[in-house]
Amino acid sequence: MDIARIAVHESVAKACPLEAMVAALQGPDVPVETVGDDASFDASDCVVTFSPREAFLDAAWVHGIRAGYDEFDVDAYEAAGTVLTNSTGIHGDTVPETVVGYLTAFARRLHVYRDRQGDSDWTQEPYDAPFTLTGEQVCVVGLGTIGQGVADRTDALGMDVVGVRRSGDPAENVERVYTPDELDAAVADARFVVLCCPLTEETEGMVDAALLAQMRADSYLVNVARGPVVVEDALLNALDDGTIAGAALDAHWEEPLPDDHPLWDHESAIVTPHVAASTSRYHEDIAALVQENVERIDRGESLRNRVA
Ligand code: NAD
Protein backbone atom coordinates (compact mmCIF):
# COMPACT_ATOMS: atom_id res chain seq x y z
CA MET A 1 0.00 0.00 0.00
CA ASP A 2 1.29 3.44 -0.95
CA ILE A 3 -0.59 6.40 0.56
CA ALA A 4 -0.45 9.60 -1.54
CA ARG A 5 -3.28 11.55 0.14
CA ILE A 6 -5.05 11.70 3.49
CA ALA A 7 -8.67 12.76 2.86
CA VAL A 8 -10.47 14.04 5.95
CA HIS A 9 -14.21 13.52 5.42
CA GLU A 10 -16.46 16.35 6.57
CA SER A 11 -18.32 14.01 8.99
CA VAL A 12 -15.24 14.30 11.26
CA ALA A 13 -16.81 17.62 12.33
CA LYS A 14 -19.23 15.60 14.49
CA ALA A 15 -16.34 14.91 16.87
CA CYS A 16 -13.87 17.79 16.43
CA PRO A 17 -13.21 20.85 14.28
CA LEU A 18 -12.22 19.83 10.73
CA GLU A 19 -9.40 22.40 10.55
CA ALA A 20 -7.90 21.10 13.79
CA MET A 21 -7.92 17.54 12.44
CA VAL A 22 -6.34 18.58 9.15
CA ALA A 23 -3.64 20.59 10.95
CA ALA A 24 -2.88 17.72 13.34
CA LEU A 25 -2.52 15.26 10.43
CA GLN A 26 -0.18 17.49 8.41
CA GLY A 27 3.20 15.88 8.02
CA PRO A 28 6.14 16.32 5.69
CA ASP A 29 5.24 13.53 3.28
CA VAL A 30 1.53 12.97 2.64
CA PRO A 31 -0.78 15.87 1.67
CA VAL A 32 -3.95 16.26 3.75
CA GLU A 33 -7.21 17.75 2.51
CA THR A 34 -10.87 17.85 3.51
CA VAL A 35 -13.44 16.10 1.32
CA GLY A 36 -17.24 16.03 1.15
CA ASP A 37 -19.76 13.50 -0.09
CA ASP A 38 -19.03 14.37 -3.75
CA ALA A 39 -15.41 13.17 -3.54
CA SER A 40 -14.09 10.06 -5.25
CA PHE A 41 -11.23 7.90 -4.06
CA ASP A 42 -8.55 5.59 -5.41
CA ALA A 43 -6.09 3.00 -4.20
CA SER A 44 -3.61 5.61 -2.95
CA ASP A 45 -6.06 7.32 -0.56
CA CYS A 46 -6.42 7.12 3.20
CA VAL A 47 -9.83 8.43 4.33
CA VAL A 48 -10.24 9.67 7.92
CA THR A 49 -13.93 9.73 8.80
CA PHE A 50 -16.59 9.67 11.51
CA SER A 51 -19.30 8.04 9.35
CA PRO A 52 -19.14 5.43 6.59
CA ARG A 53 -19.87 6.17 2.92
CA GLU A 54 -20.00 3.64 0.09
CA ALA A 55 -17.46 5.58 -1.98
CA PHE A 56 -14.80 4.95 0.68
CA LEU A 57 -14.58 1.33 -0.51
CA ASP A 58 -12.52 2.63 -3.49
CA ALA A 59 -9.81 3.95 -1.12
CA ALA A 60 -6.82 1.92 0.06
CA TRP A 61 -7.51 2.48 3.74
CA VAL A 62 -10.30 4.01 5.82
CA HIS A 63 -9.75 5.12 9.42
CA GLY A 64 -12.86 5.53 11.59
CA ILE A 65 -12.33 8.09 14.31
CA ARG A 66 -14.49 6.22 16.86
CA ALA A 67 -13.79 3.03 18.79
CA GLY A 68 -17.08 1.46 17.70
CA TYR A 69 -17.23 0.45 14.03
CA ASP A 70 -20.71 -1.08 14.13
CA GLU A 71 -21.88 1.35 11.41
CA PHE A 72 -19.23 0.08 8.96
CA ASP A 73 -19.94 -2.96 6.75
CA VAL A 74 -16.83 -4.99 7.60
CA ASP A 75 -17.71 -7.71 5.07
CA ALA A 76 -17.89 -5.14 2.26
CA TYR A 77 -14.44 -3.81 3.25
CA GLU A 78 -13.01 -7.31 3.19
CA ALA A 79 -14.64 -8.05 -0.17
CA ALA A 80 -13.30 -4.80 -1.63
CA GLY A 81 -9.82 -5.33 -0.17
CA THR A 82 -10.05 -1.94 1.57
CA VAL A 83 -8.31 -1.75 4.93
CA LEU A 84 -10.47 -0.50 7.83
CA THR A 85 -8.99 0.70 11.13
CA ASN A 86 -10.77 2.09 14.19
CA SER A 87 -9.82 4.29 17.14
CA THR A 88 -9.84 1.83 20.00
CA GLY A 89 -7.20 2.65 22.59
CA ILE A 90 -7.61 6.42 22.91
CA HIS A 91 -10.65 6.51 25.22
CA GLY A 92 -9.03 5.10 28.34
CA ASP A 93 -9.17 8.39 30.27
CA THR A 94 -12.11 10.35 28.85
CA VAL A 95 -14.92 7.81 29.04
CA PRO A 96 -13.85 6.33 32.42
CA GLU A 97 -13.67 9.84 33.93
CA THR A 98 -17.21 10.48 32.68
CA VAL A 99 -18.32 7.18 34.23
CA VAL A 100 -16.83 8.17 37.58
CA GLY A 101 -18.82 11.40 37.24
CA TYR A 102 -22.09 9.50 36.79
CA LEU A 103 -21.36 7.18 39.71
CA THR A 104 -20.42 10.09 41.97
CA ALA A 105 -23.52 12.05 40.96
CA PHE A 106 -25.82 9.14 41.78
CA ALA A 107 -24.13 8.37 45.10
CA ARG A 108 -23.77 11.96 46.29
CA ARG A 109 -27.06 13.11 44.63
CA LEU A 110 -25.30 15.89 42.67
CA HIS A 111 -27.64 15.59 39.67
CA VAL A 112 -30.64 16.18 41.95
CA TYR A 113 -29.14 19.34 43.50
CA ARG A 114 -28.06 20.68 40.08
CA ASP A 115 -31.68 20.31 38.92
CA ARG A 116 -32.95 22.13 42.05
CA GLN A 117 -30.40 24.93 41.74
CA GLY A 118 -32.35 26.52 38.89
CA ASP A 119 -35.31 26.97 41.28
CA SER A 120 -33.16 28.31 44.17
CA ASP A 121 -34.42 25.18 45.94
CA TRP A 122 -32.68 24.35 49.26
CA THR A 123 -34.50 21.00 49.66
CA GLN A 124 -32.18 18.31 50.95
CA GLU A 125 -32.38 14.67 49.89
CA PRO A 126 -33.85 12.18 52.41
CA TYR A 127 -31.39 10.87 55.04
CA ASP A 128 -31.23 7.43 53.40
CA ALA A 129 -30.64 8.67 49.83
CA PRO A 130 -26.91 9.54 49.72
CA PHE A 131 -24.25 6.86 49.95
CA THR A 132 -20.53 6.51 49.30
CA LEU A 133 -18.94 4.74 46.37
CA THR A 134 -16.39 3.23 48.73
CA GLY A 135 -17.42 -0.31 49.54
CA GLU A 136 -20.06 -0.52 46.79
CA GLN A 137 -19.79 -3.10 44.02
CA VAL A 138 -19.45 -2.15 40.36
CA CYS A 139 -19.79 -4.62 37.50
CA VAL A 140 -17.86 -3.58 34.38
CA VAL A 141 -19.14 -5.32 31.24
CA GLY A 142 -16.35 -5.36 28.65
CA LEU A 143 -12.78 -5.02 29.91
CA GLY A 144 -11.10 -3.34 26.94
CA THR A 145 -9.65 0.18 26.92
CA ILE A 146 -12.68 1.82 28.51
CA GLY A 147 -13.63 -1.02 30.84
CA GLN A 148 -10.10 -1.31 32.22
CA GLY A 149 -10.04 2.47 32.77
CA VAL A 150 -13.32 2.21 34.69
CA ALA A 151 -11.98 -0.72 36.72
CA ASP A 152 -8.76 1.13 37.61
CA ARG A 153 -10.59 4.25 38.76
CA THR A 154 -13.39 2.55 40.67
CA ASP A 155 -10.87 0.28 42.40
CA ALA A 156 -8.90 3.38 43.41
CA LEU A 157 -12.12 4.78 44.92
CA GLY A 158 -12.37 1.72 47.16
CA MET A 159 -15.11 0.01 45.20
CA ASP A 160 -15.45 -3.73 44.88
CA VAL A 161 -14.89 -4.31 41.14
CA VAL A 162 -16.20 -7.31 39.21
CA GLY A 163 -16.14 -7.61 35.44
CA VAL A 164 -17.33 -9.51 32.41
CA ARG A 165 -15.01 -10.48 29.57
CA ARG A 166 -15.31 -13.07 26.84
CA SER A 167 -12.17 -14.97 27.81
CA GLY A 168 -12.93 -14.94 31.53
CA ASP A 169 -9.20 -14.28 32.11
CA PRO A 170 -8.22 -12.22 35.18
CA ALA A 171 -7.90 -8.45 34.75
CA GLU A 172 -5.96 -5.92 36.78
CA ASN A 173 -7.94 -4.29 39.60
CA VAL A 174 -10.90 -6.62 38.99
CA GLU A 175 -11.62 -8.97 41.88
CA ARG A 176 -13.72 -11.43 39.95
CA VAL A 177 -14.12 -11.92 36.20
CA TYR A 178 -17.24 -13.57 34.76
CA THR A 179 -17.85 -14.74 31.19
CA PRO A 180 -20.82 -13.37 29.16
CA ASP A 181 -22.89 -16.51 29.84
CA GLU A 182 -22.61 -15.66 33.57
CA LEU A 183 -23.93 -12.11 33.12
CA ASP A 184 -26.93 -12.71 35.41
CA ALA A 185 -24.63 -13.65 38.28
CA ALA A 186 -22.18 -10.84 37.46
CA VAL A 187 -24.79 -8.08 37.83
CA ALA A 188 -26.72 -9.58 40.76
CA ASP A 189 -24.79 -7.95 43.62
CA ALA A 190 -23.65 -4.79 41.84
CA ARG A 191 -24.76 -1.30 42.84
CA PHE A 192 -23.61 -0.14 39.39
CA VAL A 193 -23.49 -1.99 36.07
CA VAL A 194 -21.33 -0.19 33.51
CA LEU A 195 -21.60 -1.22 29.84
CA CYS A 196 -18.24 -0.86 28.06
CA CYS A 197 -18.59 -3.46 25.30
CA PRO A 198 -18.98 -2.97 21.54
CA LEU A 199 -22.34 -3.33 19.77
CA THR A 200 -22.22 -6.74 18.11
CA GLU A 201 -24.71 -9.48 17.26
CA GLU A 202 -23.90 -10.93 20.66
CA THR A 203 -24.38 -7.74 22.69
CA GLU A 204 -27.41 -6.25 20.89
CA GLY A 205 -30.34 -6.39 23.32
CA MET A 206 -28.09 -7.96 25.99
CA VAL A 207 -29.62 -5.80 28.73
CA ASP A 208 -33.24 -6.88 28.52
CA ALA A 209 -36.10 -7.11 31.02
CA ALA A 210 -34.79 -10.43 32.35
CA LEU A 211 -31.31 -9.04 33.05
CA LEU A 212 -32.69 -5.84 34.59
CA ALA A 213 -34.79 -8.04 36.89
CA GLN A 214 -31.57 -9.69 38.09
CA MET A 215 -30.16 -6.32 39.15
CA ARG A 216 -30.65 -4.91 42.64
CA ALA A 217 -33.57 -2.54 43.15
CA ASP A 218 -31.08 0.10 44.39
CA SER A 219 -28.72 -0.33 41.42
CA TYR A 220 -27.86 1.95 38.53
CA LEU A 221 -27.15 1.11 34.88
CA VAL A 222 -24.52 3.14 33.00
CA ASN A 223 -24.40 2.86 29.19
CA VAL A 224 -21.35 4.39 27.54
CA ALA A 225 -21.31 1.63 24.88
CA ARG A 226 -24.04 1.83 22.22
CA GLY A 227 -27.80 2.36 22.66
CA PRO A 228 -29.01 -0.97 21.21
CA VAL A 229 -27.01 -2.97 23.78
CA VAL A 230 -29.99 -2.11 26.02
CA VAL A 231 -33.63 -2.89 25.15
CA GLU A 232 -35.23 0.55 25.26
CA ASP A 233 -38.71 -0.40 26.50
CA ALA A 234 -37.29 -2.76 29.08
CA LEU A 235 -35.12 0.01 30.55
CA LEU A 236 -37.94 2.57 30.56
CA ASN A 237 -40.22 0.08 32.33
CA ALA A 238 -37.49 -0.81 34.83
CA LEU A 239 -37.00 2.87 35.69
CA ASP A 240 -40.73 3.50 35.98
CA ASP A 241 -41.55 0.50 38.14
CA GLY A 242 -38.46 0.71 40.37
CA THR A 243 -36.83 -2.50 39.14
CA ILE A 244 -33.61 -0.46 39.25
CA ALA A 245 -32.92 2.91 40.87
CA GLY A 246 -31.62 4.85 37.88
CA ALA A 247 -29.55 5.00 34.71
CA ALA A 248 -26.91 7.20 33.12
CA LEU A 249 -26.98 7.06 29.35
CA ASP A 250 -24.47 8.55 26.96
CA ALA A 251 -25.32 6.20 24.09
CA HIS A 252 -28.89 6.13 22.82
CA TRP A 253 -31.11 4.19 20.45
CA GLU A 254 -31.64 7.20 18.24
CA GLU A 255 -29.24 10.14 18.23
CA PRO A 256 -30.04 12.90 18.89
CA LEU A 257 -32.48 11.52 21.43
CA PRO A 258 -35.93 12.73 20.23
CA ASP A 259 -37.31 15.85 21.97
CA ASP A 260 -40.28 13.96 23.39
CA HIS A 261 -38.28 11.01 24.71
CA PRO A 262 -39.36 10.14 28.29
CA LEU A 263 -35.74 9.96 29.48
CA TRP A 264 -35.26 13.71 29.16
CA ASP A 265 -37.59 14.34 32.09
CA HIS A 266 -36.94 11.16 34.02
CA GLU A 267 -35.80 12.05 37.52
CA SER A 268 -33.82 8.80 37.84
CA ALA A 269 -31.88 9.30 34.61
CA ILE A 270 -28.80 11.25 33.64
CA VAL A 271 -28.77 11.85 29.89
CA THR A 272 -25.67 13.09 28.08
CA PRO A 273 -25.53 13.63 24.30
CA HIS A 274 -22.89 11.01 23.38
CA VAL A 275 -20.05 13.07 24.81
CA ALA A 276 -18.40 10.65 27.23
CA ALA A 277 -15.29 10.63 25.04
CA SER A 278 -15.18 14.37 24.30
CA THR A 279 -11.91 16.16 24.89
CA SER A 280 -10.32 19.26 23.42
CA ARG A 281 -7.43 17.10 22.19
CA TYR A 282 -9.42 14.46 20.33
CA HIS A 283 -7.89 15.54 17.01
CA GLU A 284 -4.38 15.00 18.38
CA ASP A 285 -5.20 11.52 19.66
CA ILE A 286 -6.67 10.52 16.28
CA ALA A 287 -3.78 12.06 14.34
CA ALA A 288 -1.27 10.13 16.43
CA LEU A 289 -3.06 6.86 15.57
CA VAL A 290 -3.21 7.66 11.84
CA GLN A 291 0.41 8.82 11.71
CA GLU A 292 1.59 5.72 13.51
CA ASN A 293 -0.14 3.62 10.85
CA VAL A 294 1.30 5.71 8.00
CA GLU A 295 4.73 4.94 9.44
CA ARG A 296 3.85 1.27 9.78
CA ILE A 297 2.84 1.19 6.11
CA ASP A 298 6.21 2.75 5.18
CA ARG A 299 7.97 0.03 7.16
CA GLY A 300 5.80 -2.72 5.67
CA GLU A 301 4.32 -3.59 9.07
CA SER A 302 0.75 -4.58 9.90
CA LEU A 303 -1.59 -1.76 10.93
CA ARG A 304 -2.65 -1.01 14.49
CA ASN A 305 -6.43 -1.31 15.18
CA ARG A 306 -7.10 -3.09 11.90
CA VAL A 307 -10.65 -4.46 11.83
CA ALA A 308 -10.84 -5.38 8.11
P1 NAD B 1 -12.10 -2.12 23.16
O1 NAD B 1 -12.13 -2.85 21.87
O2 NAD B 1 -10.80 -1.71 23.72
O3 NAD B 1 -12.86 -2.99 24.28
C1 NAD B 1 -14.08 -3.64 24.09
C2 NAD B 1 -14.03 -4.90 24.92
O4 NAD B 1 -15.33 -5.49 24.98
C3 NAD B 1 -13.09 -5.95 24.33
O5 NAD B 1 -12.20 -6.37 25.35
C4 NAD B 1 -14.03 -7.07 23.90
O6 NAD B 1 -13.44 -8.33 24.01
C5 NAD B 1 -15.16 -6.89 24.90
N1 NAD B 1 -16.39 -7.58 24.53
C6 NAD B 1 -16.91 -7.84 23.33
N2 NAD B 1 -18.07 -8.51 23.44
C7 NAD B 1 -18.29 -8.69 24.78
C8 NAD B 1 -19.31 -9.29 25.55
N3 NAD B 1 -20.34 -9.91 24.96
N4 NAD B 1 -19.21 -9.27 26.90
C9 NAD B 1 -18.18 -8.68 27.49
N5 NAD B 1 -17.16 -8.08 26.81
C10 NAD B 1 -17.23 -8.08 25.48
O7 NAD B 1 -13.04 -0.87 22.94
P2 NAD B 1 -13.21 0.42 23.88
O8 NAD B 1 -12.37 1.52 23.37
O9 NAD B 1 -13.08 0.00 25.30
O10 NAD B 1 -14.71 0.81 23.53
C11 NAD B 1 -15.77 -0.09 23.83
C12 NAD B 1 -17.05 0.39 23.17
O11 NAD B 1 -17.46 1.59 23.80
C13 NAD B 1 -16.90 0.74 21.69
O12 NAD B 1 -17.07 -0.39 20.85
C14 NAD B 1 -17.97 1.77 21.48
O13 NAD B 1 -19.17 1.17 21.08
C15 NAD B 1 -18.15 2.40 22.86
N6 NAD B 1 -17.58 3.76 22.94
C16 NAD B 1 -18.41 4.77 23.31
C17 NAD B 1 -17.89 6.06 23.43
C18 NAD B 1 -18.78 7.19 23.89
O14 NAD B 1 -18.52 8.32 23.54
N7 NAD B 1 -19.80 6.93 24.66
C19 NAD B 1 -16.55 6.32 23.14
C20 NAD B 1 -15.74 5.26 22.77
C21 NAD B 1 -16.26 3.98 22.68
Side-chain angles (χ1 to χ4, degrees):
M1 193 194 301
D2 211 1
I3 299 300
R5 172 176 79 145
I6 296 177
V8 179
H9 186 252
E10 59 194 5
S11 63
V12 160
K14 288 185 180 177
C16 63
L18 266 180
E19 325 74 69
M21 182 66 86
V22 170
L25 284 165
Q26 292 289 0
D29 302 325
V30 188
V32 185
E33 61 185 67
T34 55
V35 294
D37 279 344
D38 53 350
S40 53
F41 304 94
D42 65 34
S44 63
D45 282 327
C46 163
V47 183
V48 175
T49 188
F50 183 94
S51 303
R53 295 285 184 273
E54 218 176 310
F56 298 166
L57 290 171
D58 295 332
W61 161 34
V62 176
H63 180 79
I65 68 164
R66 310 170 80 188
Y69 54 95
D70 42 278
E71 289 179 9
F72 288 80
D73 183 346
V74 174
D75 291 341
Y77 276 79
E78 271 162 10
T82 304
V83 171
L84 178 64
T85 51
N86 74 347
S87 297
T88 291
I90 65 168
H91 305 109
D93 293 330
T94 49
V95 179
E97 285 187 15
T98 306
V99 170
V100 169
Y102 298 137
L103 268 49
T104 308
F106 283 130
R108 310 305 308 150
R109 317 307 296 161
L110 302 180
H111 59 309
V112 177
Y113 295 119
R114 188 62 177 77
D115 284 351
R116 290 180 187 160
Q117 185 177 327
D119 299 325
S120 310
D121 183 351
W122 190 257
T123 307
Q124 298 181 346
E125 282 282 271
Y127 180 74
D128 59 359
F131 57 100
T132 61
L133 293 178
T134 307
E136 294 289 349
Q137 186 169 115
V138 58
C139 174
V140 185
V141 182
L143 288 165
T145 308
I146 294 172
Q148 188 62 57
V150 171
D152 295 346
R153 284 161 179 78
T154 50
D155 174 68
L157 286 166
M159 297 185 75
D160 172 18
V161 185
V162 303
V164 179
R165 80 188 314 187
R166 288 180 296 179
S167 67
D169 290 343
E172 209 173 326
N173 294 324
V174 182
E175 279 174 40
R176 175 159 184 194
V177 175
Y178 295 83
T179 50
D181 60 320
E182 301 171 312
L183 194 55
D184 281 8
V187 303
D189 294 326
R191 192 76 191 264
F192 298 95
V193 174
V194 185
L195 304 176
C196 305
C197 52
L199 174 62
T200 61
E201 277 176 19
E202 194 191 346
T203 62
E204 183 166 0
M206 184 175 75
V207 181
D208 57 9
L211 189 78
L212 289 160
Q214 294 299 316
M215 289 173 60
R216 287 166 47 172
D218 62 355
S219 69
Y220 296 84
L221 179 73
V222 175
N223 188 4
V224 288
R226 286 286 183 268
V229 174
V230 178
V231 178
E232 183 173 7
D233 286 347
L235 177 63
L236 294 174
N237 290 338
L239 292 173
D240 286 341
D241 66 19
T243 302
I244 63 170
L249 305 161
D250 188 57
H252 306 274
W253 306 273
E254 186 185 342
E255 297 185 359
L257 194 66
D259 290 351
D260 58 353
H261 198 282
L263 276 179
W264 284 120
D265 295 326
H266 212 295
E267 60 177 8
S268 320
I270 297 178
V271 171
T272 49
H274 209 134
V275 289
S278 299
T279 160
S280 57
R281 47 161 300 151
Y282 202 77
H283 57 293
E284 293 170 21
D285 295 342
I286 296 291
L289 269 182
V290 173
Q291 275 155 354
E292 178 184 338
N293 273 341
V294 169
E295 286 162 21
R296 282 171 177 248
I297 290 169
D298 287 346
R299 293 195 298 265
E301 295 171 3
S302 56
L303 296 198
R304 180 174 164 193
N305 284 3
R306 183 167 177 171
V307 293

